[in-house]
Amino acid sequence: LARGAPAERARAAAILVTPLKVMLDQTRTSLQAGPVTRETLPPEISGDWVAKDGRALVQVFPRGDGNDNRVLARFTAAVRAVAPAATGLPVATQEAAKTVARAFVEAGLLALALISLLLFAALRDLREVAFTMAPVVLSGFLTLASCVVIGQPINFANIIAFPLLFGVGVAFHIYFVMAWRGGATDLLQSSLARAVLFSALATGSAFGSLWLSHHPGTASMGKILMISLAWTLVCALIFEPALLGPPKAQTP
């Protein structure tokens, strides 16, 4: 480079020296730092915290574990008692939880009502409708109890498993009710029981694949679906025949 033409040295200087000058200017500026006030802040920064009418943004944080729902609920209630229009992640999380829970209750009641109406249209007997729905309700309670025993929390990802329980449970139990009203005996030793068992195994293979997912929400949904399917099968093969009793055609 020393023996090169002046034009080559000029190009090398432009490549090496110019960035160095920029870096030195930045270092020189940083060494001349002074007090920072609201007036010296750039508008794009101060505008995020102070509105044009003078109102200021205030941020507060919960005391304790921010991942604990009880801490967030207590914090949200305390903040909204002072500022009802407060927003932020804790408020949004609590409101979303209430919305999902309310929607789940509405969907569950609606599904229960519609399934009951369809069963009544097919069976034309309130007693037989109750025989079909009772094991479904029981399997739901047993699923919730199992989640408590094993420490499986119910969250937004896996709560969808419970409405599915209605469809799967009714599909199993109505077969036994229809066979019972037709006079069938020894339901557990019949081909119907084997068909229900194999159907549950086929359904369980799909639910089990969800349980093996690496996504925590999908895995928890598959886990609860498998638990509910197991209890649904137990109720269908054990509780339902005991509930039905002697065949309807043989009842005096």
Side-chain angles (χ1 to χ4, degrees), residues 108-122 129 132-133 136 163-168 170-171:
L109 293 176
L110 184 60
L112 182 63
L114 291 178
I115 290 175
S116 299
L117 289 175
L118 289 174
L119 287 175
F120 181 76
V129 171
T132 306
M133 292 301 299
V136 178
L164 296 177
L165 175 65
F166 286 116
V168 175
V170 169

Side-chain angles (χ1 to χ4, degrees), residues 3 15 17 21 23 27 30 32 55 84 141 156 179 231 249 251:
R3 293 192 296 269
I15 295 173
V17 177
K21 289 182 178 180
M23 185 180 299
T27 304
S30 64
Q32 296 175 355
R55 292 178 301 163
F141 284 123
F156 297 159
W231 282 121
T251 302

Side-chain angles (χ1 to χ4, degrees), residues 89-112:
L89 183 59
V91 176
T93 301
Q94 293 300 311
E95 291 301 320
K98 293 178 182 178
T99 301
V100 172
R102 184 167 54 249
F104 169 73
V105 172
E106 293 176 357
L109 293 176
L110 184 60
L112 182 63

Side-chain angles (χ1 to χ4, degrees), residues 11-52:
R11 284 196 299 269
I15 295 173
L16 300 176
V17 177
T18 301
L20 179 60
K21 289 182 178 180
V22 174
M23 185 180 299
L24 291 175
D25 290 340
Q26 292 175 344
T27 304
R28 190 178 299 109
T29 302
S30 64
L31 294 175
Q32 296 175 355
V36 178
T37 62
R38 184 183 300 178
E39 290 73 18
T40 59
L41 286 175
E44 56 269 17
I45 295 180
S46 60
D48 292 338
W49 294 89
V50 181
K52 293 182 179 180

Side-chain angles (χ1 to χ4, degrees), residues 159-186:
I159 199 172
I160 194 177
F162 290 94
L164 296 177
L165 175 65
F166 286 116
V168 175
V170 169
F172 288 170
H173 302 312
I174 194 173
Y175 297 144
F176 286 98
V177 173
M178 295 297 291
W180 169 79
R181 76 186 301 188
T185 59
D186 298 326

Side-chain angles (χ1 to χ4, degrees), residues 133-168:
M133 292 301 299
V136 178
V137 177
L138 177 61
S139 60
F141 284 123
L142 291 173
T143 301
L144 290 174
S146 299
C147 291
V148 173
V149 171
I150 66 177
Q152 172 62 48
I154 305 299
N155 51 46
F156 297 159
N158 56 36
I159 199 172
I160 194 177
F162 290 94
L164 296 177
L165 175 65
F166 286 116
V168 175

Side-chain angles (χ1 to χ4, degrees), residues 75-84 86:
F75 170 73
T76 302
V79 171
R80 302 195 78 173
V82 178

